[in-house]
Amino acid sequence: MSMIRDLRAVVRPTRPSQHKSLRVETGAYDTTRDPATPSAVVDCAVYRDGARMETPRPLTPQEAMRQVRRDGGFVWIGLHEPTEAEFAGIASEFGLHPLAVEDAVQAHQRPKLERYDDSLFTVFKTIHYVEHDQLTANSEVVETGEVMCFTGRDFFITVRHGGQGSLRALRHRLQDDPELLAKGPSAVLHAIADHVVDGYIAVADAVQDDIDEVETEVFTPGRRGGVSRGVDSARIYQLKREVLEFKRAVSPLLRPMQLLSERPMRLVDPDIQKYFRDVADHLARVQEQVVGFDELLNSILQANLAQASVAQNEDMRKITSWAAIIAVPTMVCGVYGMNFTYMPETHWRYGYPVIMGITMVICLGIHRTLKRNGWL
């Protein structure tokens, strides 16, 4: 089937650079809202036979659902940070489970997949890489948001939280492929899952560059003695915290994607379900990267602390060595400064230069010995 062959190209960008261009083109989420609809509704449309039904004015969710029940198709409603009151009417109209509604309104949920009688509730965490000129102890590397999806037989509802992860461009891209949209709400669910995971891949590549930069700084030999003086540990720790935030978004999502790809579900078209395997495979690869990032940063942090300790020990050895050298003339001067009547060589004409010469020879001997042993 031609639609299935072209599915991946339609719903998933092929290169990480396309993610960057997507952010440039779409900018912030389109929060233009029609006065006739609840304030949280960003877009509401009816799709029939893969095409968006044009209407003289924006539809309310209730009007859109009445059209679907009368003429067929499905409705796709997009909301942005709805309040409990704004979401109550939609939840009642579509028969959404109260627990899922509570999670959708409150946000800050763990990625998951929950099945109810007539719907699926899926939570995705979106990740956006925050561009920065230089990594500091206070740099924000990743910014998270949430996309929550209600998938029913004849409806698809997305609830977004956060300023990133716009679905506007994705909606337009899907509308350009009627064959895909004709598969129903499960096709939209797959497209969103694939879009989110592709975002993970792009962010993982960018975070890898930051880790490489820190690793290079830590293991670059220093100018003195070939020993690195280390870098600010707070920078490494901050990057580790950001990677942990990334990990919290990726790891819990792996099981839901496996369920969608392996377990038959009434609300997921069999043709679409096959392609969840591709999403799960990409997600597993990203998870391996993120786990590797965490372990690598642990090693870098330990190596940095070890290098700082070695540098401190080197400094202490040098200080101790010079103290040992200085101790010789200090002792000699101390002996001859005690003002006893009978001091050795005090009345000899060459006593002073001889004592100074002996002191200098002893100091040079100690310096040479310490130098040969690597203390100086």
Side-chain angles (χ1 to χ4, degrees), residues 345-354:
E345 314 302 339
T346 54
H347 301 290
W348 183 35
R349 177 180 298 180
Y350 302 105
Y352 177 77
V354 168

Side-chain angles (χ1 to χ4, degrees), residues 148-362:
M148 304 175 182
C149 305
F150 293 88
T151 307
R153 182 180 58 82
D154 50 9
F155 66 85
F156 189 83
I157 302 173
T158 58
V159 180
R160 286 186 55 257
H161 291 271
Q164 303 296 331
S166 170
L167 301 177
R168 183 183 179 188
L170 178 64
R171 183 190 285 260
H172 291 165
R173 201 160 61 242
L174 288 172
Q175 289 173 175
D176 291 336
D177 190 346
E179 281 188 283
L180 177 60
L181 275 179
K183 290 294 181 179
S186 61
V188 183
L189 178 62
H190 170 265
I192 291 177
D194 201 48
H195 175 71
V196 169
V197 172
D198 276 341
Y200 293 166
I201 295 173
V203 172
D205 291 340
V207 172
Q208 178 71 69
D209 293 338
D210 285 334
I211 294 177
D212 290 343
E213 178 183 344
V214 171
E215 185 178 22
T216 300
E217 291 183 22
V218 169
F219 293 101
T220 298
R223 288 178 294 177
R224 295 192 302 161
V227 178
S228 172
R229 313 300 291 182
V231 299
D232 184 7
S233 296
R235 294 174 56 196
I236 304 175
Y237 185 71
Q238 174 66 14
L239 186 55
K240 183 174 173 58
R241 289 186 61 185
E242 296 296 302
V243 168
L244 180 60
E245 186 74 16
F246 194 3
K247 185 177 179 180
R248 288 172 180 165
V250 174
S251 296
L253 187 59
L254 189 58
R255 182 56 180 165
M257 290 300 100
Q258 290 173 343
L259 290 175
L260 287 170
S261 64
E262 298 171 358
R263 186 170 300 179
M265 298 182 184
R266 290 185 298 107
L267 297 174
V268 179
D269 188 283
D271 290 335
I272 297 297
Q273 187 174 31
K274 302 173 186 176
Y275 287 88
F276 277 107
R277 298 173 191 168
D278 182 64
V279 178
D281 179 67
H282 284 85
L283 185 63
R285 189 182 71 179
V286 174
Q287 187 201 28
E288 291 175 358
Q289 282 185 279
V290 175
V291 171
F293 292 163
D294 191 36
E295 295 175 354
L296 181 58
L297 285 171
N298 282 335
S299 300
I300 292 174
L301 183 59
Q302 292 174 1
N304 187 62
L305 294 176
Q307 287 181 343
S309 178
V310 169
Q312 289 176 354
N313 290 337
E314 182 184 347
D315 292 338
M316 289 303 300
R317 288 198 304 179
K318 291 181 179 179
I319 293 172
T320 303
S321 299
W322 284 111
I325 294 172
I326 295 173
V328 174
T330 301
M331 182 188 68
V332 173
C333 294
V335 169
Y336 280 90
M338 291 188 290
N339 297 321
F340 289 115
T341 302
Y342 300 103
M343 297 290 292
E345 314 302 339
T346 54
H347 301 290
W348 183 35
R349 177 180 298 180
Y350 302 105
Y352 177 77
V354 168
I355 294 299
M356 293 302 295
I358 293 173
T359 302
M360 184 66 67
V361 169
I362 295 174

Side-chain angles (χ1 to χ4, degrees), residues 3-252:
M3 183 278 293
I4 295 300
R5 286 199 304 267
D6 296 336
L7 177 60
R8 184 182 301 175
V10 172
V11 299
R12 184 170 63 86
T14 57
R15 298 185 303 273
S17 60
Q18 289 177 309
H19 292 280
K20 296 181 180 179
S21 63
L22 180 62
R23 289 198 295 269
V24 173
E25 292 170 3
T26 60
Y29 194 42
D30 182 9
T31 54
T32 304
R33 293 160 180 166
D34 187 79
T37 62
S39 59
V41 177
V42 176
D43 200 355
C44 176
V46 173
Y47 295 89
R48 191 176 304 121
D49 297 327
R52 177 169 178 154
M53 298 293 98
E54 298 297 333
T55 58
R57 63 175 179 81
L59 297 175
T60 65
Q62 291 75 15
E63 291 172 339
M65 197 59 195
R66 282 197 293 269
Q67 280 194 22
V68 167
R69 289 168 179 166
R70 183 183 66 241
D71 304 323
F74 73 95
V75 57
W76 180 359
I77 303 172
L79 300 100
H80 182 239
E81 298 183 351
T83 63
E84 185 176 351
E86 290 171 334
F87 201 35
I90 296 176
S92 175
E93 179 69 28
F94 293 91
L96 305 180
H97 195 280
L99 292 177
V101 171
E102 181 181 0
D103 289 345
V105 172
Q106 291 182 354
H108 305 295
Q109 302 299 316
R110 190 172 183 266
K112 59 184 178 180
L113 170 67
E114 294 180 347
R115 288 174 290 180
Y116 298 100
D117 293 337
D118 299 318
S119 65
L120 293 175
F121 177 61
T122 315
V123 177
F124 300 96
K125 273 193 175 294
T126 58
I127 298 291
H128 169 68
Y129 180 76
V130 180
E131 299 289 346
H132 49 268
D133 295 330
Q134 184 178 8
L135 183 67
T136 67
N138 299 316
S139 294
E140 184 180 17
V141 178
V142 297
E143 183 180 1
T144 62
E146 292 179 54
V147 177
M148 304 175 182
C149 305
F150 293 88
T151 307
R153 182 180 58 82
D154 50 9
F155 66 85
F156 189 83
I157 302 173
T158 58
V159 180
R160 286 186 55 257
H161 291 271
Q164 303 296 331
S166 170
L167 301 177
R168 183 183 179 188
L170 178 64
R171 183 190 285 260
H172 291 165
R173 201 160 61 242
L174 288 172
Q175 289 173 175
D176 291 336
D177 190 346
E179 281 188 283
L180 177 60
L181 275 179
K183 290 294 181 179
S186 61
V188 183
L189 178 62
H190 170 265
I192 291 177
D194 201 48
H195 175 71
V196 169
V197 172
D198 276 341
Y200 293 166
I201 295 173
V203 172
D205 291 340
V207 172
Q208 178 71 69
D209 293 338
D210 285 334
I211 294 177
D212 290 343
E213 178 183 344
V214 171
E215 185 178 22
T216 300
E217 291 183 22
V218 169
F219 293 101
T220 298
R223 288 178 294 177
R224 295 192 302 161
V227 178
S228 172
R229 313 300 291 182
V231 299
D232 184 7
S233 296
R235 294 174 56 196
I236 304 175
Y237 185 71
Q238 174 66 14
L239 186 55
K240 183 174 173 58
R241 289 186 61 185
E242 296 296 302
V243 168
L244 180 60
E245 186 74 16
F246 194 3
K247 185 177 179 180
R248 288 172 180 165
V250 174
S251 296

